[in-house]
Amino acid sequence: MNNWKIRQKLMVSFGFLLALMVLFSSLNLLSLRRAQNAFQAAIDRGVTIERKAHEIDENLLRARRNEMDFFLRWHGEGFQAAHQHYILPAIVELTRMRQEIKSLKPLVAGDRRLEKMLEQLDENTATYETELRAVVDLLERRGFKDTGLEGEFRTAVHTVERSFQEEGGHEALQVTLLQLRRHEKDYLLRGEDTYVKQTIHTAQDLKRQITASDL
């Protein structure tokens, strides 16, 4: 009888230990799965951040390439065509870039260093787009050959040239006008402010000569 009680106690104890082992194993397995899930989530998050960062870099490279192509080719292709071919695609790339930056912000939430970097990148991208648009607008206003301010300047000079030729006997005025055209072309070729000053100075001389003449 005593042996039976001892056996029962041993069986109960063994069952209890077995239950504890099963419970402990289950808890370990659950913790392991949670750790694996957290680790996988961290990996996925890192991969997503890396992919988006790469896409941002590609967006910027494509935008800069379009920008440079515009400045290199707009004289030959014409402003409107070059604007369509290069500036509009550049703006699209910058818009996509800012969208990627926005989508990255939730992924780096809590990391103040990365948050600040993204904020700065977003601001710099917006500034770049604003300044690019401003420069392009100024180029359109300036024009080329027969368009914009440059076209108006050429038309005015040609009108003056014709009037000198029609009147005749104004060699000194024609010489000054030729100097004016030379300074103009030097500026358009080299883009240096020195030629702007020389053009203005020569134009003032020409005005004084015209005033003193019998034209």
Side-chain angles (χ1 to χ4, degrees), residues 156-171:
V157 169
H158 290 158
T159 301
V160 174
E161 284 178 333
R162 283 194 300 271
S163 67
F164 288 169
Q165 292 169 358
E166 291 171 359
E167 290 289 334
H170 298 286
E171 289 78 9

Side-chain angles (χ1 to χ4, degrees), residues 51 54 61 70 95 97 99 121 147 177 194 196 200:
R51 177 180 58 78
H54 177 72
L61 287 175
F70 171 78
T95 300
M97 183 176 171
Q99 289 172 345
L121 181 59
T147 65
L177 182 60
T194 300
V196 175
I200 294 173

Side-chain angles (χ1 to χ4, degrees), residues 108-124:
V108 301
D111 189 326
R112 187 53 193 158
R113 183 180 65 86
L114 292 179
E115 287 177 339
K116 188 173 182 179
M117 288 176 61
L118 284 180
E119 289 172 4
Q120 189 65 51
L121 181 59
D122 195 21
E123 291 176 5
N124 290 341

Side-chain angles (χ1 to χ4, degrees), residues 3 29 34 46 48 57 60 92-93 124 127 143 148 156 170 178 208:
N3 290 338
L29 181 60
R34 287 177 177 173
T48 301
D57 188 50
L60 181 58
V92 169
E93 293 296 340
N124 290 341
T127 300
H170 298 286
L178 288 174
R208 284 192 291 268

Side-chain angles (χ1 to χ4, degrees), residues 135-177:
V135 170
V136 171
D137 288 343
L138 287 174
L139 281 179
E140 182 178 21
R141 184 183 175 194
R142 167 189 162 178
F144 181 63
K145 291 185 177 179
D146 299 327
T147 65
L149 294 175
E150 187 174 330
E152 294 176 10
F153 182 82
R154 286 174 179 269
T155 299
V157 169
H158 290 158
T159 301
V160 174
E161 284 178 333
R162 283 194 300 271
S163 67
F164 288 169
Q165 292 169 358
E166 291 171 359
E167 290 289 334
H170 298 286
E171 289 78 9
L173 293 177
Q174 293 185 36
V175 169
T176 304
L177 182 60

Side-chain angles (χ1 to χ4, degrees), residues 152-161 164 172-188 194-210:
E152 294 176 10
F153 182 82
R154 286 174 179 269
T155 299
V157 169
H158 290 158
T159 301
V160 174
E161 284 178 333
F164 288 169
L173 293 177
Q174 293 185 36
V175 169
T176 304
L177 182 60
L178 288 174
Q179 291 176 339
L180 178 67
R181 296 305 307 277
R182 186 183 66 188
H183 296 325
E184 169 209 347
K185 292 177 180 178
D186 284 340
Y187 169 71
L188 294 176
T194 300
Y195 299 113
V196 175
K197 296 176 182 178
Q198 290 176 347
T199 300
I200 294 173
H201 179 73
T202 305
Q204 291 172 344
D205 285 344
L206 182 60
K207 288 174 66 177
R208 284 192 291 268
Q209 287 178 299
I210 292 174

